[in-house]
Amino acid sequence: MKILVTGGAGFIGCNFIYYMLNKYPDYEIVCLDALTYAGNLKSLSVAVANPKFKFVKGSISDKDFVDRLFKSESFDIVVNFAAESHVDRSIENPFIFLETNIMGTACLLEASKKYGVKRYHQVSTDEVYGDLPLDRPDIFFTEKTNLSASSPYSASKASADLLTLAYHRTYGLPVTISRCSNNYGPYQFPEKLIPLMIMKALADESLPVYGNGLNVRDWLYVEDHCRAIDLIIHNGKVGEIYNVGGHNERRNIDVVKTVLGHLSKPESLITYVKDRAGHDLRYAIDPEKISSQLGWEPETCFDEGMKKTVEWYLENQKWVDDIKSGEYAEYARRIYGDS
Ligand code: NAD
Ligand code: TDX
């Protein structure tokens, strides 16, 4: 079995690569990643030493390059993690999100069709459903919830989902889609809430909480997401969407206080700042389908996951310092050149 993992130098992709190399020592894994600001080759340093793993630098939006790669490698399965993933950046500059998340997905779908991959899996997000009201804790996103994206990021992800389903309906491409809630864990780029707050608390800097801090996110430890994707690509039904989440809703302010608690830092570091434009109020996944059909359940509870995450960041401060200094970007240029 040969699997293409795109975006594998990013947070969830690199966790997925380690998960798959450990679980399936006979599988070959090829990682395609453009090494944008969010891609870090150092996250894959252990994988690079594995003879079953290969790293290829390139963009999923480069149609000819993607075509050549698919022709030469004959992939059985494609798992597309590659994306511009940060909502705040999409508000600043939407166009790169459209280029990567929509056109990049189109290039992968086209090559998957042309070279007959057995499964194309699109890693999507619960943000495609928009948001839920704070005063209705009884309602959740199901796979049948209407698409209602709020940000350029989520609109680009929703577009990619529609394109993926269209390739199934029109060309018979064997696709699946997963829509997961907020992930946290090792290797997450420190622009996202949890690692940002860990790094700022460690430096005794103020912790910027958007608006009133009452927005709710549904947090899942990254390894549980990886296990869900593994189950879907092996046992999921072609043409289907699977929501992934562990019924772990938290208000942002409570997540930030949990981080401070783990680091024994004072709550006086919290600073309320201007709200995010179009800020989604609440995300909450109903995971009944993946649970009943594929037997998936989350294994890591929030307390344990947060403990492991904080410990990882404490033990890997050099990983973060290199990102901050831009050192890893220079390293990647040295290894792979500018192209
Ligand atoms: P990330 O930003 O940490 O990583 C994205 C990776 O994609 C980086 O390595 C980057 O270099 C690479 N990339 C970007 N543009 C590329 C291009 N044109 N060609 C090739 N590679 C490119 O993102 P993440 O948090 O790991 O998210 C991975 C996927 O999971 C995304 O599709 C995201 O929408 C989805 N997702 C994320 C979360 C979450 O909480 N982080 C939740 C649900 C779904
Ligand atoms: O400094 C901050 N202060 C703050 O209050 C940041 C960075 C975030 N927040 C808030 C905004 C959100 O309500 O915390 C919440 C989480 O923010 P992010 O970490 O930026 O995640 P979110 O916007 O919820 O999107 C994430 O989950 C779904 C990922 O970034 C997406 O890629 C994924 O699809």
Side-chain angles (χ1 to χ4, degrees):
M1 189 70 79
K2 192 188 260 194
I3 305 187
L4 173 66
V5 178
T6 69
F11 164 46
I12 310 175
C14 83
N15 278 283
F16 182 73
I17 286 170
Y18 285 125
Y19 179 90
M20 294 300 280
L21 287 172
N22 282 335
K23 184 160 177 197
Y24 304 101
D26 294 340
Y27 284 16
E28 288 175 72
I29 308 271
V30 176
C31 169
L32 169 62
D33 198 295
L35 296 180
T36 67
Y37 80 93
N40 187 347
L41 213 43
K42 287 188 176 169
S43 303
L44 289 170
S45 54
V46 176
V48 168
N50 186 322
K52 294 285 186 187
F53 176 79
K54 182 159 118 182
F55 180 83
V56 178
K57 187 186 171 199
S59 172
I60 60 166
S61 320
D62 184 340
K63 188 167 179 288
D64 294 338
F65 172 81
V66 167
D67 185 278
R68 285 196 301 277
L69 182 69
F70 274 64
K71 189 175 183 183
S72 65
E73 295 283 355
S74 301
F75 300 117
D76 297 296
I77 297 177
V78 174
V79 183
N80 182 26
F81 289 95
E84 288 293 334
S85 70
H86 194 39
V87 173
D88 292 326
R89 287 181 189 253
S90 84
I91 295 167
E92 292 289 308
N93 176 15
F95 287 91
I96 182 66
F97 285 72
L98 312 186
E99 176 69 23
T100 297
N101 299 0
I102 306 175
M103 290 310 294
T105 298
C107 293
L108 293 171
L109 287 166
E110 191 58 25
S112 298
K113 168 168 80 83
K114 184 170 170 187
Y115 295 103
V117 305
K118 298 185 190 82
R119 178 65 64 90
Y120 175 90
H121 183 76
Q122 177 70 8
V123 181
S124 186
T125 168
D126 60 359
E127 295 198 18
V128 299
Y129 298 123
D131 63 355
L132 296 165
L134 291 174
D135 60 357
R136 288 293 308 274
D138 55 315
I139 55 172
F140 300 90
F141 295 137
T142 75
E143 291 79 0
K144 292 192 169 65
T145 302
N146 288 338
L147 296 181
S148 178
S150 310
S151 70
Y153 162 71
S154 48
S156 70
K157 293 294 289 185
S159 305
D161 284 10
L162 291 175
L163 211 47
T164 302
L165 293 172
Y167 265 70
H168 173 62
R169 167 89 184 233
T170 304
Y171 306 112
L173 187 70
V175 309
T176 40
I177 296 176
S178 52
R179 292 180 178 152
C180 191
S181 60
N182 284 58
N183 284 213
Y184 68 102
Y187 299 108
Q188 187 166 30
F189 197 86
E191 66 187 352
K192 305 284 166 59
L193 181 71
I194 290 178
L196 183 82
M197 296 300 160
I198 295 173
M199 299 325 299
K200 286 198 175 287
L202 281 174
D204 292 313
E205 290 170 7
S206 64
L207 272 48
V209 172
Y210 297 160
N212 58 14
L214 299 182
N215 302 57
V216 169
R217 296 294 182 265
D218 187 357
W219 294 96
L220 187 72
Y221 192 64
V222 62
E223 201 174 80
D224 282 326
H225 186 189
C226 296
R227 197 160 32 79
I229 294 172
D230 174 24
L231 276 174
I232 296 168
I233 60 178
H234 287 100
N235 305 331
K237 204 169 148 217
V238 160
E240 295 283 316
I241 296 163
Y242 296 88
N243 282 357
V244 185
H247 281 305
N248 181 40
E249 291 176 53
R250 311 263 159 174
R251 299 184 311 180
N252 290 341
I253 188 65
D254 297 329
V255 171
V256 172
K257 286 180 181 172
T258 303
V259 169
L260 289 170
H262 277 282
L263 294 169
S264 304
K265 295 285 183 177
E267 291 184 7
S268 56
L269 288 175
I270 293 172
T271 312
Y272 292 93
V273 299
K274 187 169 171 281
D275 209 354
R276 171 185 281 174
H279 199 173
D280 281 335
L281 292 173
R282 170 177 168 247
Y283 302 147
I285 282 278
D286 176 355
E288 203 280 328
K289 179 175 176 180
I290 190 166
S291 164
S292 63
Q293 295 187 10
L294 302 182
W296 178 88
E297 297 291 341
E299 287 179 359
T300 303
C301 70
F302 192 63
D303 286 348
E304 186 193 343
M306 280 299 286
K307 190 166 173 287
K308 286 206 260 190
T309 303
V310 169
E311 275 167 12
W312 188 88
Y313 280 91
L314 286 172
E315 284 162 14
N316 290 276
Q317 291 204 35
K318 172 134 181 39
W319 182 89
V320 178
D321 290 345
D322 287 350
I323 285 171
K324 281 203 208 146
S325 68
E327 195 279 338
Y328 83 89
E330 279 165 36
Y331 166 82
R333 266 195 296 277
R334 279 204 305 280
I335 303 289
Y336 292 101
D338 281 326
S339 61

